[in-house]
Amino acid sequence: MDWDGAVNAWHVSGGIYRMGRREWLTETGWKQAFDDGVRTVVDLRNAGEGRRRDNDPAVPAAAWAGIEVVQAPTEEPGDPRFTAVAGPYLNDPAHYAENARLFPEKLVSVFRAIAVAAPKGNVLLHCAAGRDRSGLVAAMVQDLAGDSDEEIAEGYRRAVRGINERYRTHGPPHSRERYLAEPELAPLLEQRGRAVVAFVRGLDTRGYLLANGLTTTELDAVLALSGAGVAR
């Protein structure tokens, strides 16, 4: 998506989009997202992450008038069970299954937020980089929408390339991230693309969400927004 200022912004499926930090959007970018039907932004970050940085564009609150921002984090920050596996934050699809195992109520809350937002218009998911937390949820959405293994893997690969390009031009935000040149990036993308597919195919997204409290009515709303029809 070419919304002004947006970093790593992509169409996922139907009326669902994904990107990196919303604070990167300019006033024009917010208007462009609105014009593309976005009426709800679901912030997948933890509460302490959502703040403006000195180099973010100054954007008046009126810029996103008509777009509701909903916070629905995908994890419990600092949970020692998760950090023992994933480190300080999720940055590898190999850890998506553990995220889903430990925090089913969090992921159900994300999809409930999408369901509630669906009648109002399109939904934009975002985390910090637009890569792994949004990647986890996007893969689940693509699974519900009936996307192929290759389409799901390619969705993740695009997101990694998108934030990697940001690191090339602006530098990484901290020492745990770095720009990867193509000889290192290409095999990593192949490996992690396969890991995303393995995660989502092993999860059974519909069954997982219903077993953990999402209603069939809510699932139908998500499916309709994703372009997949309804569950029944």
Side-chain angles (χ1 to χ4, degrees):
M1 306 307 297
D2 59 358
W3 304 324
D4 191 53
V7 174
N8 213 7
W10 303 96
H11 176 241
V12 178
S13 182
I16 301 177
Y17 301 85
R18 62 185 286 190
M19 72 174 185
R21 300 171 63 246
R22 70 176 184 272
E23 292 84 2
W24 281 321
L25 277 176
T26 66
E27 185 172 3
T28 297
W30 279 104
K31 182 181 184 303
Q32 290 169 326
F34 184 89
D35 289 346
D36 279 334
V38 173
R39 296 296 180 268
T40 305
V41 170
V42 179
D43 186 346
L44 304 175
R45 300 174 298 181
N46 300 311
E49 297 179 73
R51 60 186 183 277
R52 184 179 177 274
R53 300 172 185 169
D54 291 343
N55 58 349
D56 290 334
V59 179
W64 57 85
I67 299 179
E68 182 180 8
V69 177
V70 177
Q71 190 161 26
T74 59
E75 64 194 28
E76 190 64 42
D79 187 303
R81 299 170 300 168
F82 191 54
T83 57
V85 174
Y89 61 90
L90 185 67
N91 73 338
D92 188 334
H95 304 141
Y96 287 7
E98 190 69 359
N99 196 133
R101 185 185 73 81
L102 290 173
F103 309 120
E105 74 289 349
K106 298 286 190 183
L107 293 179
V108 166
S109 292
V110 171
F111 281 86
R112 182 164 289 129
I114 296 172
V116 169
K120 306 170 190 175
N122 294 341
V123 172
L124 172 59
L125 308 163
H126 84 87
C127 53
R131 182 188 59 203
D132 283 295
R133 285 174 289 188
S134 58
L136 185 160
V137 176
M140 293 172 71
V141 168
Q142 288 184 268
D143 184 37
L144 292 173
D147 281 4
S148 68
D149 289 1
E150 178 55 28
E151 287 169 327
I152 291 171
E154 182 58 22
Y156 182 79
R157 292 193 293 256
R158 283 196 303 261
V160 175
R161 286 192 178 279
I163 197 62
N164 192 59
E165 178 62 15
R166 171 77 179 188
Y167 295 161
R168 184 187 70 80
T169 57
H170 290 73
H174 49 72
S175 60
R176 198 168 186 240
E177 299 286 348
R178 62 189 177 89
Y179 169 71
L180 301 177
E182 188 62 24
E184 186 176 4
L185 180 63
L188 183 71
L189 291 180
E190 184 63 26
Q191 169 199 337
R192 293 191 173 181
R194 290 195 302 268
V196 173
V197 172
F199 156 70
V200 80
R201 296 311 188 209
L203 183 68
D204 175 17
T205 303
R206 292 188 188 207
Y208 171 86
L209 292 171
L210 292 172
N212 287 290
L214 197 72
T215 68
T216 54
T217 299
E218 290 168 331
L219 179 59
D220 283 348
V222 175
L223 291 170
L225 186 64
S226 74
V230 295
R232 290 186 290 274

